Amino acid sequence: MNSAGHSEATAPRGLELTPFRGLRYDPERVGSLAAVTSPPYDVVVRPDGVHHLQSADPHNIVRLILPQDGTPSARNERAADTLRRWLDEGVLTADPEPGLYLYEQCDGAGLLQRGIIGALRLTEPSEGVVLPHEDVMPHVVADRTALMRATSANLEPLLLTYRGDGATAGVIERTAERPPLLSTTTEDGFSHRLWSIKDPTDLACVQTDLSHHQALIADGHHRWATYLRLRAEHPSPSPWDYGLVLLIDTVRYPLRVRAIHRLLHTLPLTDALAALDGLFRVRRLEIPLLEALATLAEAARAGNAFLLAGDGGFHLVDRPDPDLLARTVPADRPAAWRTLDATVLHTTLLDHVWHIPEDSPAHIAYIHDTAATVEKAERDGGTAVLMHPVREEVVRDLARQGVTMPRKSTSFGPKPASGLVLRALEL
């Protein structure tokens, strides 16, 4: 059951996906499509990744999703100016007719993912149509809102999942047999292909099928909150009633679920370990990263477990004191939430043991790349907290109960590349 008391198949109003005129790079005006793409804004490891992507091509999408300047307002104005200039110069052009888009990713090692990109009608969580599973950080929502307001554009699609295997699957398979609009391979080895879906019969088939389903936000909680905030600023009906999304049917194309790690900038590892004395079991591991992660996975089967790094080695932290958990973890949530590693990290370790404010960028960073998290901790003298991923079924079950997980609890993927198709609100 979802939070509105309806099963997925009988939700009073399901997903409403609408065609739009996609804004895409003109391949004749850029060095290569691969050189102008980027991971989603929150996956780019700043500032190293920003500089790398900016140098890849003067038109890299990172100049829009992570503009660089002295102040937030100046950054957003720079992004808006850049977008206007690229439109005027024909670097970005709008497709002549509205459509939905089939997006395919393949890693060359057996992973194939296909989904539909479109403009989705926005709904509140209470409606049980689009289910969030994580809390958001207000300052990030404010940042994304200001950028989206300045550019009047959805610069990158959110990643949403649903459990389908219905008529949309047939449209996807038929469309994928045609030559794509674009095809490129990015430096991470993933190939990307994009098709337009404009046939009225195919569009009606997809829209009718999706109208019977609800979706889980896999990646993009802050941007979804941004969509809702901007919708409230514009009288309905308006283009702000919709937001750009990629919908993946995980019956046919299961996603990978990975952890998002924490980097505690101001907490030296020696202090972090000293504070755990008598509260957790701590063991030093003199083994490589991959072996340490395997040890973490084994420990996580028995209960809460974390890897701490920052001094050239790894420290397995597990077996929390039950009395400590009883004192620090709220008891008014489901057991599946109370026993999450992310819950114990935020309510017990960050709040009560280390006294780290979880929404302060000066104190904590959320990083997807494991090795990068460790390297930054060792270089800067902070503490890396490496997490073990939670299973998708746990995420979906909690979301249907209306229970959100601590912020940045999961990383679903592969994530859509930014820069392949954008949505301008005025088109």
Side-chain angles (χ1 to χ4, degrees):
M1 301 290 284
N2 64 33
S3 60
H6 300 274
S7 69
E8 178 173 328
T10 59
R13 184 176 76 176
L15 301 167
E16 186 180 325
L17 196 66
T18 302
F20 69 104
R21 292 178 63 198
L23 203 60
R24 298 189 293 114
Y25 282 100
D26 181 343
E28 308 231 335
R29 301 298 303 271
V30 297
S32 74
L33 289 175
V36 295
T37 64
S38 164
Y41 80 98
D42 59 338
V43 180
V44 177
V45 180
R46 300 186 238 187
D48 315 16
V50 173
H51 297 154
H52 171 72
L53 292 164
Q54 284 182 334
S55 63
D57 190 283
H59 300 110
N60 190 283
I61 192 69
V62 78
R63 297 179 186 273
L64 300 182
I65 63 174
L66 286 174
Q68 302 297 295
D69 213 315
T71 66
S73 60
R75 288 195 292 270
N76 296 330
E77 189 55 42
R78 178 179 291 272
D81 289 344
T82 300
L83 178 57
R84 283 191 292 266
R85 186 175 73 254
W86 289 356
L87 289 169
D88 291 343
E89 295 173 352
V91 174
L92 287 169
T93 60
D95 286 334
E97 300 173 28
L100 300 176
Y101 295 83
L102 167 60
Y103 175 49
E104 176 190 277
Q105 291 168 279
C106 180
D107 70 352
L111 184 146
L112 175 67
Q113 178 173 287
R114 289 172 175 160
I116 302 291
I117 295 176
L120 184 68
R121 178 176 285 278
L122 306 179
T123 56
E124 296 290 341
S126 60
E127 297 177 61
V129 178
V130 176
L131 306 176
H133 72 268
E134 287 183 355
D135 294 331
V136 296
M137 292 176 276
H139 76 276
V140 177
V141 176
D143 174 72
R144 292 294 102 185
T145 300
L147 176 63
M148 205 175 295
R149 188 188 294 119
T151 57
S152 291
N154 299 155
L155 300 173
E156 44 188 349
L158 282 65
L159 177 60
L160 273 60
T161 72
Y162 71 103
R163 306 289 290 174
D165 206 16
T168 298
V171 175
I172 287 175
E173 299 307 316
R174 290 194 302 274
T175 302
E177 293 174 356
R178 306 196 318 252
L181 286 176
L182 64 85
S183 179
T184 190
T185 300
T186 45
E187 65 179 8
D188 59 4
F190 271 85
S191 65
H192 307 262
R193 297 199 293 172
L194 192 76
W195 295 260
S196 62
I197 302 173
K198 296 178 181 175
D199 179 81
T201 301
D202 286 344
L203 291 174
C205 182
V206 170
Q207 290 173 309
T208 300
D209 181 31
L210 293 177
S211 71
H212 299 291
H213 293 285
Q214 64 182 183
L216 175 74
I217 301 176
D219 186 69
H221 285 81
H222 292 90
R223 284 167 286 165
W224 184 260
T226 293
Y227 287 168
L228 293 176
R229 180 177 294 188
L230 289 168
R231 180 186 67 170
E233 295 179 2
H234 296 82
S236 186
S238 85
W240 297 93
D241 293 339
Y242 297 82
L244 187 64
V245 304
L246 166 64
L247 276 164
I248 301 289
D249 176 3
T250 53
V251 171
R252 295 179 67 86
Y253 301 105
L255 294 181
R256 295 170 175 169
V257 186
R258 292 176 172 161
I260 302 176
H261 309 297
R262 277 66 170 161
L263 176 62
L264 310 181
H265 298 296
T266 60
L267 182 66
L269 180 60
T270 52
D271 293 350
L273 294 171
L276 298 177
D277 187 36
L279 302 177
F280 285 77
R281 183 176 68 168
V282 180
R283 290 178 287 162
R284 184 177 176 91
L285 307 176
E286 294 290 354
I287 54 179
L289 175 58
L290 289 180
E291 291 182 33
L293 291 173
T295 303
L296 172 64
E298 180 67 28
R301 293 192 185 97
N304 300 119
F306 311 92
L307 269 183
L308 270 55
D311 62 355
F314 299 99
H315 303 263
L316 180 65
V317 175
D318 64 355
R319 298 188 184 178
D321 174 31
D323 290 338
L324 173 68
L325 298 184
R327 292 196 312 270
T328 57
V329 177
D332 59 347
R333 302 287 188 92
W337 181 90
R338 296 197 306 271
T339 55
L340 288 170
D341 287 337
T343 297
V344 172
L345 173 64
H346 283 259
T347 64
T348 303
L349 286 171
L350 293 180
D351 288 353
H352 291 273
V353 177
W354 292 329
H355 307 292
I356 299 291
E358 61 180 340
D359 58 354
S360 169
H363 291 86
I364 185 169
Y366 298 84
I367 304 178
H368 295 73
D369 186 280
T370 309
T373 310
V374 174
E375 290 166 7
K376 285 180 176 293
E378 292 177 349
R379 183 181 65 202
D380 301 337
T383 296
V385 183
L386 306 184
M387 310 282 289
H388 182 68
V390 65
R391 300 189 314 278
E392 180 182 358
E393 55 266 30
V394 173
V395 176
R396 193 175 294 274
D397 181 59
L398 286 171
R400 283 178 171 156
Q401 295 179 58
V403 178
T404 54
M405 299 166 64
R407 57 199 63 176
K408 299 293 184 182
S409 293
T410 59
S411 176
F412 284 85
K415 303 178 190 302
S418 298
L420 297 179
V421 61
L422 294 66
R423 174 177 174 252
L425 273 296
E426 66 271 14
L427 294 178

